[in-house]
Amino acid sequence: MVESAADAPPGGATGTRGARMSDSQQTDASRAPQWWSRPDGDAKARPAEVPPQRSDPEHGALPHPDAAPDHDAAADATAAPYAKAAPDPDTATVIGAEAGPEADPFGEADPDAGPEAAPRYDPWAARPLHVVDRGPEPRGFRMWQVVALAVGVALLAGGVGGYLGVLAERRSSIRLELPQAAVDSKGRAPDSVAGIAASALPGVVTLHVSGGGGSGTGTGFVLDPQGHILTNNHVVADAKDITVTFSTGESVPAQLVGRDGGYDLAVVKVDGVRGLRPLALGNSENVKVGDPVVAIGAPFDLSNTVTAGIISATGRPITAGGDKGDGSDISYVDALQTDAPINPGNSGGPLLDARAHVIGINSAIRGADKSADGDEDDRQSGSIGLGFAIPVNQGKRVAEELISTGHATHPVIGVTLDMQYKGDGARVGTKAGDGKPSVVADGPGARAGIKAGDVITKVDGQRVHGGDELIIKIRAHRPGDSLNLTVLRDGRERTLDVVLGSADGS
């Protein structure tokens, strides 16, 4: 037990300053500060990891840097700044003594021990001069490091994935190549539909007309280098303005040259157009049923439309028009029938054979019948495979007359027919509409011996079933042609030869 400064003998307080310094360090415990006193008991052993007390190689151990020196010791420091004090054999514990198993290497008190067991700071104890506080041990990755790492990995993965996706798309697009035929010659056989169309299209035109309170579209084809174009009469009837559009898309105005309602043909003309391609005219007498044909026109204003089919019938008697009610606009046509699709707008266009020669002028179609309630709106307006064309032989003759004189002539026999007759054949009327005789005096019929009331049953050996058919058969010829007529009179048939006369058309 270290004695306190109050128990020191009085004599210890006398003596020289240096002796006092020596006594206070070696024998007189009362002169030493409290914080220099050593605790009772054995000194604790220094742990193996704690370095020994730092010392000066010449003067011994250095005082603790945090210790406040005694004023006397500070005064004597000049005399022996590095004097090494000898431990008191009675009170000091031996440095380096063996510590017990429960000794605290840093001299900390056991919290369960009594107040006498609390250690006091011993500057001479075997422990390090400084204890470095290195903080808590690392606990792995910090949160911001984890987030940064995750973002980096995500960006890297996205970039790599995008690159691989683009690369895969490029490779897949390269691999996706379907087999395809190489580009070959665009030429076609002249007798094929494509060959016929390529040859004829430059000579086919589309007509846009206006006037008479309406407008319409039709087709025509070039007849000669002078710019004459043949089309249907019902396309340009009552027209004020006519515009012609060629297959190249060039449009120019046109003027009416002449027209004929009985034949449903008209001629218009364009001026100042170079490079016209007239179509070659064929011969309708050479046409046979089953021959392939090509029709070109502008159905529903779809210009340069090409359709194909065959000749379904020849010599098909048809009538068209009659909207005026007086019969002046009725067309009588000994037509070629075809199943090539023909629709509104095809009128006036060419019907071509396998050599691209014009054999007919498309003029009429047969629509579907009316509905049971008679509603016109239910009638089919498109093609049902029944189209009719004016034979080119008739069209050629009429076009030549229209170009030459502006009007066409009609072949006639000089008789008035009873159009109300319901029997088989065409019956000659008893009187004309104006009250005159039904057989024109000194006319072609009168000279051949035809009389009122005769029933004409055949023309050149071909049966006729009504007045319309007789007119059609006659108009299929030129004025001056000779016809053989079979006539039924008083129950007996007889044959008469008639030379056709001429009458001006409308």
Side-chain angles (χ1 to χ4, degrees):
M1 188 71 178
V2 178
E3 296 180 353
S4 65
D7 294 334
T14 63
T16 65
R17 181 180 181 92
R20 210 171 43 246
M21 176 68 179
S22 175
D23 290 343
S24 64
Q25 291 181 347
Q26 296 180 11
T27 60
D28 191 357
S30 63
R31 302 295 296 175
Q34 287 295 327
W35 53 269
W36 277 31
S37 299
R38 298 178 183 272
D40 292 337
D42 296 337
K44 295 180 181 179
R46 181 175 67 248
E49 68 273 13
V50 179
Q53 182 178 1
R54 187 176 59 182
S55 61
D56 187 281
E58 296 181 359
H59 304 285
L62 296 177
H64 197 281
D66 295 333
D70 183 55
H71 67 279
D72 292 334
D76 294 340
T78 56
Y82 297 99
K84 185 175 182 181
D88 189 349
D90 297 331
T91 61
T93 50
V94 179
I95 298 175
E98 194 72 22
E102 297 181 358
D104 187 352
F106 295 99
E108 296 180 359
D110 186 354
D112 296 332
E116 295 182 356
R120 287 174 294 178
Y121 180 77
D122 186 359
W124 308 111
R127 64 186 68 192
L129 296 179
H130 300 281
V131 178
V132 180
D133 185 4
R134 301 183 183 275
E137 292 294 329
R139 294 179 296 176
F141 290 104
R142 297 183 183 274
M143 182 59 66
W144 68 269
Q145 293 174 323
V146 174
V147 173
L149 180 61
V151 172
V153 171
L155 292 176
L156 180 61
V160 173
Y163 173 76
L164 293 178
V166 172
L167 185 60
E169 182 179 0
R170 289 180 179 177
R171 290 182 177 178
S172 62
S173 64
I174 294 175
R175 289 195 301 267
L176 186 58
E177 291 186 3
L178 299 177
Q180 184 180 25
V183 177
D184 57 5
S185 174
K186 295 182 180 179
R188 295 293 184 269
D191 59 348
S192 66
V193 174
I196 296 170
S199 175
L201 274 172
V204 181
V205 300
T206 301
L207 284 79
H208 294 91
V209 301
S210 62
S215 61
T217 302
T219 308
F221 59 92
V222 179
L223 290 173
D224 55 30
Q226 287 71 39
H228 291 104
I229 295 171
L230 183 63
T231 186
N232 280 138
N233 174 69
H234 70 264
V235 172
V236 297
D238 302 325
K240 300 294 184 182
D241 296 309
I242 304 173
T243 301
V244 171
T245 303
F246 293 88
S247 60
T248 59
E250 179 184 6
S251 296
V252 295
Q255 296 78 36
L256 179 65
V257 174
R259 64 187 185 90
D260 186 273
Y263 289 113
D264 193 21
L265 291 172
V267 173
V268 299
K269 186 176 184 295
V270 295
D271 295 320
V273 179
R274 297 181 179 180
L276 294 174
R277 297 277 298 274
L279 296 188
L281 303 182
N283 192 323
S284 53
E285 296 294 332
N286 298 329
V287 176
K288 300 298 181 182
V289 174
D291 285 348
V293 291
V294 173
I296 302 179
F300 301 103
D301 204 13
L302 300 173
S303 59
N304 304 322
T305 297
V306 177
T307 57
I310 62 169
I311 294 293
S312 303
T314 61
R316 187 75 77 187
I318 64 168
T319 58
D323 296 333
K324 292 183 178 180
D326 57 1
S328 62
D329 60 338
I330 296 178
S331 300
Y332 299 90
V333 180
D334 193 29
L336 301 174
Q337 180 180 327
T338 179
D339 66 347
I342 297 175
N343 290 286
N346 275 104
S347 294
L351 186 67
L352 306 160
D353 63 12
R355 294 181 293 176
H357 293 171
V358 179
I359 57 173
I361 299 96
N362 301 318
S363 300
I365 60 174
R366 173 66 183 269
D369 293 332
K370 297 179 181 179
S371 60
D373 56 3
D375 189 357
E376 287 283 348
D377 294 336
D378 292 340
R379 181 191 292 269
Q380 182 176 345
S381 60
S383 173
I384 59 173
L386 293 174
F388 304 95
I390 300 171
V392 70
N393 290 9
Q394 182 174 320
K396 177 179 178 294
R397 180 183 69 83
V398 174
E400 291 171 345
E401 292 183 350
L402 292 176
I403 293 172
S404 299
T405 65
H407 61 273
T409 60
H410 299 170
V412 295
I413 60 175
V415 299
T416 300
L417 299 178
D418 181 7
M419 303 303 291
Q420 304 300 320
Y421 179 67
K422 301 301 182 181
D424 193 29
R427 187 175 71 175
V428 179
T430 57
K431 290 184 178 181
D434 57 359
K436 295 180 180 180
S438 58
V439 179
V440 177
D442 200 26
R447 290 192 295 265
I450 298 176
K451 296 182 178 180
D454 287 349
V455 177
I456 302 173
T457 59
K458 295 179 182 180
V459 176
D460 288 339
Q462 294 182 347
R463 192 80 181 182
V464 294
H465 302 283
D468 291 343
E469 289 190 24
L470 178 60
I471 297 173
I472 290 170
K473 295 298 183 183
I474 293 174
R475 288 193 177 182
H477 296 80
R478 292 174 178 267
D481 289 347
S482 178
L483 300 179
N484 183 270
L485 302 180
T486 300
V487 177
L488 182 62
R489 182 188 302 167
D490 298 331
R492 294 177 60 185
E493 287 187 347
R494 62 189 65 195
T495 302
L496 304 175
D497 293 329
V498 178
V499 177
L500 298 178
S502 176
D504 291 338
S506 57

